[in-house]
Amino acid sequence: MSEEIVLKIEDLHKSYGDNAVLKGVSLQLKRGETKVIIGPSGTGKSTLLGCVNRLVEPDGGNVYLENELITPHNIHKMRQKIGYVFQDFNLFNHLTALDNVRIGLVKVQKLSKDEATQIAMEQLKRVGLAEKANLYPSQLSGGQKQRVAIARALAMRPKLMLFDEPTSALDPELIGEVLSVMIELANSGMTMLVVTHELGFARTVADEIIFMENGVIVEQGPPSKIFTNPEKERTRQFLRRLTELYGEDKV
Amino acid sequence: MPILLKGTWVTVQLTILGLVLGLVIAVPVSFGQIYGGRVARLLCSIYERVFRSIPLLVLLMLIFYGLPEIGVRPAPFLACILGLGIRSSAYQSQIFRGAILSIGKGQTLAAFSIGMNKIQAFRYIIFPQALRYSIAPWTNEFTVVLKDSSMAYALGVVELLRQGSYIISRTYEPMTIFLTCAAIYLLMTISANKIMQLLERRLQIPGFEIKEVSH
């Protein structure tokens, strides 16, 4: 892992009306790092990811990708370098799996169709769905949809991948196939910021766990520390509740 | 019969020109309602409400007899197209508005997330999906305009119905002639539905099946 900083978030603020969702969040990711954000729902985890590539307009604070400040002016360029995976997949319903992966390459990056097809097929192969290339989203299972969505993000050759609860909308038996793609990705050196409740995944691949609550980072540290010996009582409570909910083996 | 066919041709012209005019007005109106600022949204909504609420016959009378008072004197045929087109535009704008809004916000977000700008997101992601959702209700609107083109009778445009009544004034066979007119309308409506069905099938994609409702 190099010391080069890929993502730097500085003092991010966001409110919806009177409701302050992010109250000054700062963090950074070095190249090849995977950080996992955990925390109760409604504490601004997804909003934080959204603010990184400005799918949610932040009220204050700065976000840098490879030392370049992300602004409304360079946003279309910057978003191409940031892969975003949504909780409910958001595959383009009128396009085949192949076209879902290819459309950004053809229409945004203006690659030739042949070149785009080649890259798209490589990415579909990577997520194990090359043989489903010509199926439409409605013909795919949830797990397959999410893997296509990951391939779509990867095809743009991003510097950073953001995952917003990528397995929360999936049936339990489909979670594994998505997680294994993500684990492979993390091991291959992709820089990843992941919001998830999958503590098993967090324990396996995360370099750091970030516990967020009420719009601030309560505690962060390596999984070994956070899971076995957290400093804050609040972190301890949250983890205990998750363990009760999902059982010891997943944690 | 050849005379009735001449009238049928006028009916077809009224329908198609009315629909096209409606389409041309409806697209910007629906865009205004969805993407416009406050003023644009308000204006487009007022337009849509007003012209959906005025009966077509009243609208035709206003255009044909009202406009000359302010110095505009449209020919009956033109007045009919204006009336049909304006009324249809109000309905068509709602078809497009509904179709565009039925495409989830997630589709736009996903388009943005791979670097598309607003225009690209609309062109490549929203529009192709909205188009498919529009076909069934648009087919319905097609048949409504087709049938309502018979109101042109009131302004003296010699379309199918008026040709029919001319014949009746010579032959005194209202039942036969009006039934023939009705059959021609039926035939046209069925063909219109068939054409749109073909189009729908050509554009069909798994996951986008909608059963059409014909009137």
Side-chain angles (χ1 to χ4, degrees), chain A residues 53 55 76 79-80 82 84 86 90-95 100 103-104 107-108 110 136 138-139 152-153 156, chain B residues 105-107 109-118 120 124-126 128-129 132 204-208:
Chain A
N53 71 350
L55 289 180
H76 298 304
R79 279 180 185 149
Q80 294 175 45
I82 304 175
Y84 200 103
F86 298 87
N90 292 337
L91 286 187
F92 304 130
N93 293 320
H94 62 305
L95 299 177
N100 261 280
I103 193 164
K107 300 301 182 192
V108 181
K110 311 283 184 203
Y136 286 92
S138 65
Q139 300 166 316
R152 173 175 70 186
M156 306 297 282
Chain B
K105 186 94 177 65
Q107 296 285 308
L109 288 179
F112 287 165
S113 80
I114 55 171
M116 287 192 183
N117 58 35
K118 277 186 182 165
Q120 288 170 325
Y124 300 118
I125 306 302
I126 305 303
Q129 298 186 52
R132 288 177 173 84
Q204 196 170 59
I205 281 177
F208 278 83

Side-chain angles (χ1 to χ4, degrees), chain B residues 37-53:
Chain B
R38 256 172 103 145
V39 181
R41 277 210 307 268
L42 183 72
L43 287 177
C44 291
S45 299
I46 292 174
Y47 175 90
E48 169 248 317
R49 284 296 145 70
V50 167
F51 289 112
R52 283 210 298 169
S53 309

Side-chain angles (χ1 to χ4, degrees), chain A residues 17-187:
Chain A
D18 288 337
N19 182 18
V21 185
L22 295 177
K23 305 171 193 163
V25 174
S26 304
L27 63 89
Q28 29 181 302
L29 266 89
K30 298 190 196 110
R31 190 171 305 287
E33 256 187 335
T34 296
K35 292 197 178 181
V36 170
I37 305 175
I38 59 172
S41 19
T43 52
K45 305 184 302 282
S46 298
T47 307
L48 174 63
L49 287 197
C51 284
V52 170
N53 71 350
R54 286 184 179 260
L55 289 180
V56 177
E57 196 63 33
D59 296 334
N62 292 320
V63 178
Y64 301 85
L65 184 73
E66 298 187 318
N67 295 318
E68 191 176 351
L69 180 66
I70 300 177
T71 67
H73 303 291
N74 65 14
I75 188 60
H76 298 304
K77 189 185 83 190
M78 301 304 267
R79 279 180 185 149
Q80 294 175 45
K81 301 184 194 176
I82 304 175
Y84 200 103
V85 176
F86 298 87
Q87 179 174 349
D88 35 17
F89 332 125
N90 292 337
L91 286 187
F92 304 130
N93 293 320
H94 62 305
L95 299 177
T96 60
L98 176 61
D99 279 325
N100 261 280
V101 181
R102 192 165 56 176
I103 193 164
L105 298 168
V106 176
K107 300 301 182 192
V108 181
Q109 296 192 341
K110 311 283 184 203
L111 298 187
S112 74
K113 202 163 179 182
D114 288 343
E115 210 177 336
T117 307
Q118 198 193 334
I119 296 173
M121 283 309 296
E122 274 167 29
Q123 296 306 330
L124 281 174
K125 205 176 290 171
R126 184 174 188 178
V127 299
L129 289 173
E131 77 283 8
K132 306 278 185 195
N134 292 316
L135 294 186
Y136 286 92
S138 65
Q139 300 166 316
L140 299 172
S141 73
Q144 291 169 338
K145 281 185 212 174
Q146 193 60 297
R147 281 147 68 199
V148 172
I150 293 172
R152 173 175 70 186
L154 289 175
M156 306 297 282
R157 280 160 292 187
K159 307 291 184 193
L160 166 74
M161 287 284 287
L162 303 175
F163 291 85
D164 183 8
E165 302 202 28
T167 57
S168 299
L170 294 176
D171 291 335
E173 73 268 23
L174 302 177
I175 291 175
E177 60 187 75
V178 172
L179 288 183
S180 61
V181 167
M182 290 170 63
I183 291 168
E184 186 270 322
L185 198 55
N187 291 336

